[in-house]
Amino acid sequence: MTTATVVTFVLYFVLLLGIGFYFYRRNESIEEYLLGGRRMGAWVTALSAQASDMSGWLLMGLPGAIYLGGLVNAWIAVGLFVGTVLNWLLVSRRLRVYTETTGSITLPCFFEARFGDPTGLLRIVSAIVVLIFFTIYASSGLVAAGKLFESTFGVSYEAAVVLGGAIIIVYTFLGGFLAVCWTDLFQGALMVVALVFVPLLAYGQAGGAAGIREAMTLRDIAQSLRPAGGPTALLVVVSATAWGLGYFGQPHILVRFMSAGSLAKLSRSMGIAIVWVFLSLAGAVAIGLIGIGLFRTVPGGDPEKVFIYMIAEVTHPWIGGVMLAAILSAIMSTIDSQLLVSSSALTEDFYQKTIQRTAEQREVVLVGRICVVVISVVALLLALRPSDTILNIVAYAWGGFGAAFGPLVLFALFSKRTGWQAALAGMVVGTVVLVVWKQMGLGAHLYEIVPGFVANNLTIVLVNRFFPQTNEVVLRQFDEVFARVQGRTP
């Protein structure tokens, strides 16, 4: 801990809290609080979507996996890049138009309206899935925050988790979606600078390519993308690249598409986001590889801290403070989004539609803020006693959303005749298969998102043969949305 680091972090915290206070009185309706009024600009949409996507695992979990296992773990980055591109190409425009057409501000409400579910079961079950997996996901971010503060300031892990959680809760509680998106814009820019700048500085100190290869040979670390082991090798590649499937079902990313000001702005956002993701993933892989040459033994006994120690090794304390703040940016930019989406599941999908249908907007916003605090406390309690690495915790939650929601989103946007019975059955089967696969230990051989995603798709196709969509309003709405996306109607 240095004076420079402390000052940098304090200024950073003041900035975040200032943004939260600034947007506090601009949230007069629940749509403002949870979706920013659907008027976000191109840069804010792009960097907010990707910063909320790439949490602390990008700067800690992924570099740590590369540091331990070598290039074979870079397949995760490949899968994520492809998934990002496909998500923007296939989902963003259609989802923006469809959610506006149906008046939906949350993913569960969109499923209910899109598939014409008269029972409310689709909305309720999907909201429960959101709460369960986002609580797990948010706890992974608090684990990352705990490791960062523990390493940087020398405080206990438990105190570090509470400190990080308190700051995130305050500005999310106050500012809602607008505060989250505008902080993400700043945080996303800071993250990509750190991911490019630090490995460039560290490359020479690590001995260049020769020094990295020598260190990899001494530690018997994989030096190519090709894993050894026949059929097992194929499963390794499939498991890693399957991370890309998760994109189609991540509520905190999809809500950014829903909030864009227009389709034209969304198209500009896509180009910005793809460049950002490529630079960020390449930087994270480079940090893990360069760390092998820079640190011949595991830094601090924890490979997921390799970036933290690299910053201390190659940068001036003032610059290092800014770069460490970038790690905090990655952590906070995801947790705040997860808390807000979880809050929306309780307020919009449960409270306003089931408990208090006549609630005024100010009352609903207040309930939303209270829900942020409640969910944060549960995630914090889980983070105080972490049972796994950051990357593995994220993998479970990421896979959960991909298996539960990914196929539903794709069928909703591209299959006119899919009925609500098929969507509900697919979501339940996909989630159950994922959880059972994980609990049986089969995830060690094949990432659980794969069987869950496949089971969901097959169930939808099978059930839809017996219960196709017959609601004329829903069928007509699909045609209207398709025409708008194609530019045939204003």
Side-chain angles (χ1 to χ4, degrees):
M1 180 175 65
T2 65
T3 301
T5 304
V6 174
V7 171
T8 302
F9 269 63
V10 169
L11 291 175
Y12 179 72
F13 293 153
V14 169
L15 173 65
L16 294 182
L17 295 176
I19 292 173
F21 279 108
Y22 175 77
F23 286 110
Y24 176 66
R25 294 191 178 278
R26 297 186 62 179
N27 295 298
E28 297 181 353
S29 70
I30 193 63
E31 185 174 21
E32 291 279 351
Y33 187 70
L34 298 178
L35 211 57
R38 297 187 197 268
R39 58 174 182 268
M40 309 309 294
W43 279 91
V44 176
T45 298
L47 293 191
S48 179
Q50 300 315 137
S52 64
D53 163 19
M54 303 296 183
S55 59
W57 72 266
L58 176 69
L59 288 85
M60 298 177 69
L62 183 57
I66 299 292
Y67 179 84
L68 277 183
L71 272 173
V72 69
N73 287 320
W75 282 108
I76 296 175
V78 174
L80 289 171
F81 179 74
V82 173
T84 298
V85 174
L86 291 177
N87 204 28
W88 280 95
L89 286 174
L90 299 177
V91 174
S92 61
R93 291 172 59 85
R94 286 175 180 258
L95 187 65
R96 169 64 178 82
V97 173
Y98 227 135
T99 53
E100 183 179 35
T101 302
T102 58
S104 308
I105 64 175
T106 69
L107 203 57
C109 283
F110 169 64
F111 290 151
E112 180 181 47
R114 163 60 187 90
F115 295 112
D117 176 16
T119 67
L121 281 173
L122 194 54
R123 167 176 48 84
I124 293 171
V125 174
S126 55
I128 292 172
V129 171
V130 166
L131 290 172
I132 292 173
F133 285 111
F134 262 151
T135 303
I136 296 171
Y137 209 148
S139 73
S140 74
L142 291 173
V143 171
K147 290 186 177 184
L148 174 62
F149 287 127
E150 182 184 35
S151 302
T152 305
F153 299 114
V155 298
S156 69
Y157 171 80
E158 290 77 12
V161 168
V162 173
L163 174 62
I167 295 166
I168 296 166
I169 291 169
V170 170
Y171 77 79
T172 306
F173 175 90
L174 292 173
F177 189 81
L178 288 169
V180 166
C181 284
W182 280 98
T183 55
D184 284 353
L185 174 66
F186 168 73
Q187 291 174 151
L190 187 59
M191 285 163 62
V192 76
V193 168
L195 285 164
V196 172
F197 179 68
V198 173
L200 286 176
L201 288 180
Y203 182 72
Q205 291 193 32
I212 295 170
R213 281 197 300 268
E214 179 186 353
M216 293 176 81
T217 302
L218 290 173
R219 287 178 47 199
D220 193 26
I221 295 175
Q223 298 187 33
S224 72
L225 286 165
R226 182 183 302 171
T232 304
L234 178 61
L235 291 179
V236 170
V237 174
V238 171
S239 291
T241 54
W243 278 71
L245 294 175
Y247 273 104
F248 304 121
Q250 304 300 318
H252 59 304
I253 300 173
L254 299 176
V255 74
R256 265 57 183 186
F257 302 156
M258 296 158 61
S259 72
S262 66
L263 291 183
K265 290 180 179 179
L266 201 55
S267 296
R268 291 196 295 273
S269 297
M270 179 170 65
I272 298 167
I274 290 173
V275 171
W276 188 96
V277 168
F278 178 81
L279 291 175
S280 298
L281 289 172
V285 172
I287 289 166
L289 291 174
I290 293 169
I292 295 171
L294 194 62
F295 305 109
R296 300 304 172 95
T297 58
V298 179
D302 185 349
E304 292 191 324
K305 294 180 180 178
V306 64
F307 190 37
I308 297 173
Y309 286 97
M310 184 180 292
I311 290 170
E313 186 77 18
V314 303
T315 63
H316 184 276
W318 283 102
I319 300 297
V322 175
M323 297 299 101
L324 287 172
I327 300 179
L328 187 61
S329 294
I331 297 166
M332 290 187 165
S333 62
T334 300
I335 298 180
D336 55 19
S337 300
Q338 293 162 351
L339 292 179
L340 206 57
V341 174
S342 300
S343 170
S344 73
L346 286 173
T347 54
E348 179 72 6
D349 302 322
F350 282 125
Y351 184 78
Q352 193 171 24
K353 291 191 178 294
T354 304
I355 300 174
Q356 186 61 279
R357 294 176 179 270
T358 60
E360 296 182 356
Q361 289 296 301
R362 289 185 178 275
E363 177 186 345
V364 179
V365 172
L366 176 61
V367 172
R369 288 188 165 120
I370 294 171
C371 290
V372 166
V373 177
V374 173
I375 297 161
S376 300
V377 171
V378 176
L380 192 149
L381 292 174
L382 291 175
L384 289 175
R385 294 290 181 269
S387 58
D388 213 332
T389 64
I390 297 169
L391 189 64
N392 286 341
I393 298 172
V394 170
Y396 189 33
W398 181 271
F401 284 123
F405 294 157
L408 265 69
V409 169
L410 294 176
F411 274 89
L413 300 179
F414 292 96
S415 177
K416 180 178 178 179
R417 294 286 177 179
T418 299
W420 69 268
Q421 299 93 331
L424 178 61
M427 178 173 59
V428 171
V429 170
T431 305
V432 170
V433 168
L434 173 126
V435 172
V436 171
W437 191 275
K438 177 72 172 178
Q439 295 305 313
M440 291 179 64
L442 298 175
H445 306 288
L446 178 66
Y447 184 17
E448 54 270 16
I449 193 176
V450 177
F453 193 91
V454 171
N456 191 334
N457 277 283
L458 292 177
T459 302
I460 291 176
V461 171
L462 178 63
V463 176
N464 213 45
R465 292 177 65 88
F466 301 96
F467 301 99
Q469 183 62 255
T470 57
N471 187 318
E472 290 298 327
V473 174
V474 172
L475 295 173
R476 184 171 61 252
Q477 204 171 57
F478 185 94
D479 292 333
E480 292 171 357
V481 169
F482 182 78
R484 281 190 61 188
V485 172
Q486 297 299 315
R488 294 202 296 267
T489 59

